[in-house]
Amino acid sequence: MGIGGLGTLLTHHPAISGVLQAVCAVFLAWWGARILLNISRKRRTAAATTGGKSRSRAIGSMLAVTWLNPLVWLEAMFLVGVLSFSYGSEEQAGFAAGFLTASAIEFYGWSLAGVSLSRRFDRPIYRRRMDAIAGLVLMLAALLLAANILHGP
């Protein structure tokens, strides 16, 4: 979508970009608050610790994290779209292939890192610490994005 023109559309129509930024800020704040609130709960649900979620809920969560993730919109849609616009149509295909390859390496790398750290995160204290850091980073990112929206370009 980014290489196909969404980045160009957003560049020419800043109002759409502003709306997407606002949605991203709300998403980041919501997700950060959700993580921080889960830390404060005394008892975790069995589904959260044993993976007892339904398949449809897991698919829904995956789609939400993919399509509501501000990083997807900022990186893949806007930045890649704007960068690819400077190439001709023939070079855009090579640019797209390179971007997709780099993304695959990045995401599989994160997956491998998760597997290598999974034993450590079996201990609740490490999970709570990581959740606290993640929640605070998400809240900070939401605040910075909101400040950027309020102050304008």
Side-chain angles (χ1 to χ4, degrees), residues 50-127:
T50 62
K53 293 182 180 181
S54 71
R55 180 177 295 205
S56 61
R57 186 168 177 191
I59 291 171
S61 295
M62 182 269 312
L63 289 173
V65 169
T66 299
W67 290 104
L68 298 176
N69 185 342
L71 189 59
V72 169
W73 290 100
L74 291 174
E75 180 184 340
M77 303 304 172
F78 184 69
L79 294 175
V80 171
V82 170
L83 289 173
S84 71
F85 185 68
S86 64
Y87 296 104
S89 60
E90 289 182 15
E91 288 105 5
Q92 280 184 340
F95 182 86
F99 175 75
L100 291 174
T101 301
S103 291
I105 291 169
E106 175 188 8
F107 291 119
Y108 286 116
W110 280 115
S111 296
L112 291 173
V115 168
S116 68
L117 292 171
S118 65
R119 285 191 180 171
R120 179 169 292 234
F121 288 110
D122 281 345
R123 297 183 62 198
I125 186 73
Y126 290 121
R127 274 197 313 265

Side-chain angles (χ1 to χ4, degrees), residues 38-44:
N38 280 337
I39 294 170
S40 66
R41 290 185 182 156
K42 300 258 186 216
R43 182 176 63 93
R44 292 189 177 257

Side-chain angles (χ1 to χ4, degrees), residues 112-153:
L112 291 173
V115 168
S116 68
L117 292 171
S118 65
R119 285 191 180 171
R120 179 169 292 234
F121 288 110
D122 281 345
R123 297 183 62 198
I125 186 73
Y126 290 121
R127 274 197 313 265
R128 283 192 300 273
R129 287 178 185 169
M130 182 54 101
D131 286 348
I133 292 168
L136 292 173
V137 167
L138 289 170
M139 296 299 282
L140 178 64
L143 288 173
L144 291 173
L145 189 54
N148 183 49
I149 293 167
L150 293 175
H151 293 296

